[in-house]
Amino acid sequence: MDNTLTLFTARLQDKGIKLDPEQLEQFELYFRELVSWNEKMNLTGITERDQVYTKHFYDSISLAFFTNINEVKSLADIGSGAGFPGIPLKICFPHLKLTIVDSLSKRISFLQHVCTTLNLTNVELIHGRAEDIARQFKHRDAYDLVTARAVARLSLLNEFCLPFTRKDGIFAAMKGNDPSEELSEAKKSFKELRAELERVESFSLPVEESSRHIVLIRKTGATPAKYPRKAGIPAKAPLV
């Protein structure tokens, strides 16, 4: 095992997550496919192996440091891009029923290829906008855990993601910088979308010490019928 994999394995083991050889091979295949496809389409600006393992894989799995993923049956990853954090979490916790929603069909094609190559099962990949998919009965108020990684401000993310979250489920917004200002701005969206802040966890990525924050939001009731609003409207007029 090379230094990148040794460090990756040790850091996860420190957090109580043990990977077997098959899981490590899945991460290695994922890395290779990410770099290969990235030459044809823009998936990530990070392609160095140790950086991908730290800034994409470890960072994605960090959600499991602060939530009990073993008790989570269904996970929805909204605006997943190249599959973060959904695919790394699925590799570590194969029992998860994973749903990924992304608005770009090219990215969904990449993720389909990754799931086939890594032999991942019980993964649903959906091409569409969150505002539209969250209105479908199958996905509305349906998931134990919903997540999105650094894709928009919290007032907007809440409208994209909370409609997918079941009552008493958790929406985890994965952020870089301190989200205090965003939390203050998002108060109206919490009220409108039947949710409350549970807590904010913070940590630093290994080596470079970049700060990370995970905002854990609990869903307190069913999503009101008027939300999410039609595609495009939340971005133009966020709930602030």
Side-chain angles (χ1 to χ4, degrees):
M1 199 187 296
D2 69 13
N3 195 45
T4 298
L5 282 180
T6 302
L7 281 171
F8 180 64
T9 306
R11 284 168 183 153
L12 290 181
Q13 203 155 339
D14 284 346
K15 301 291 187 180
I17 298 169
K18 293 180 182 177
L19 300 180
D20 63 27
E22 184 186 346
Q23 289 167 308
L24 287 172
E25 178 61 21
Q26 286 176 313
F27 275 112
E28 197 54 19
L29 284 169
Y30 189 10
F31 164 70
R32 285 185 214 142
E33 294 304 327
L34 178 70
V35 172
S36 171
W37 279 60
N38 201 58
E39 291 174 6
K40 300 174 277 185
M41 56 187 281
N42 182 27
L43 290 165
T44 177
I46 299 166
T47 54
E48 288 178 33
R49 191 155 169 267
D50 60 336
Q51 296 275 305
V52 169
Y53 269 84
T54 302
K55 291 184 176 178
H56 284 325
F57 296 167
Y58 181 90
D59 189 30
S60 292
I61 300 161
S62 69
L63 184 54
F65 306 163
F66 307 108
T67 57
N68 188 352
I69 302 275
N70 289 312
E71 290 183 356
V72 172
K73 292 189 180 75
S74 55
L75 169 69
D77 182 4
I78 309 302
S80 185
F84 308 122
I87 300 289
L89 287 167
K90 174 69 177 173
I91 294 171
C92 291
F93 302 93
H95 75 279
L96 285 173
K97 180 185 181 299
L98 173 64
T99 299
I100 285 178
V101 177
D102 199 273
S103 60
L104 223 81
S105 61
K106 280 184 184 176
R107 287 198 289 250
I108 294 293
S109 298
F110 165 71
L111 294 172
Q112 188 66 66
H113 174 76
V114 165
C115 288
T116 303
T117 304
L118 274 55
N119 199 24
L120 298 177
T121 57
N122 220 355
V123 179
E124 184 176 8
L125 303 168
I126 302 172
H127 170 229
R129 296 182 70 148
E131 304 101 309
D132 297 327
I133 307 303
R135 287 207 157 269
Q136 296 175 11
F137 178 77
K138 178 184 175 185
H139 302 290
R140 191 173 182 85
D141 298 330
Y143 293 88
D144 298 335
L145 180 62
V146 177
T147 188
R149 187 169 171 253
V151 291
R153 290 184 74 80
L154 201 55
S155 52
L156 183 56
L157 273 185
N158 281 343
E159 189 165 355
F160 287 160
C161 299
L162 282 167
F164 287 91
T165 316
R166 68 166 175 79
K167 184 179 182 294
D168 296 320
I170 294 287
F171 163 43
M174 302 179 77
K175 295 280 183 182
N177 297 330
D178 183 346
S180 301
E181 186 187 317
E182 287 187 42
L183 280 165
S184 179
E185 177 186 278
K187 282 176 182 170
K188 181 181 178 182
S189 63
F190 283 130
K191 189 178 175 188
E192 289 285 322
L193 294 157
R194 307 289 188 269
E196 62 188 19
L197 176 66
E198 189 158 279
R199 65 187 191 280
V200 179
E201 298 282 3
S202 59
F203 69 102
S204 295
L205 279 185
V207 187
E208 61 166 61
E209 299 293 310
S210 294
S211 69
R212 294 287 187 270
H213 295 79
I214 298 179
V215 183
L216 296 163
I217 298 162
R218 184 167 294 281
K219 185 80 168 280
T220 57
T223 306
K226 63 180 176 179
Y227 295 114
R229 292 167 291 168
K230 284 185 181 175
I233 292 175
K236 287 177 187 162
L239 294 169
V240 293

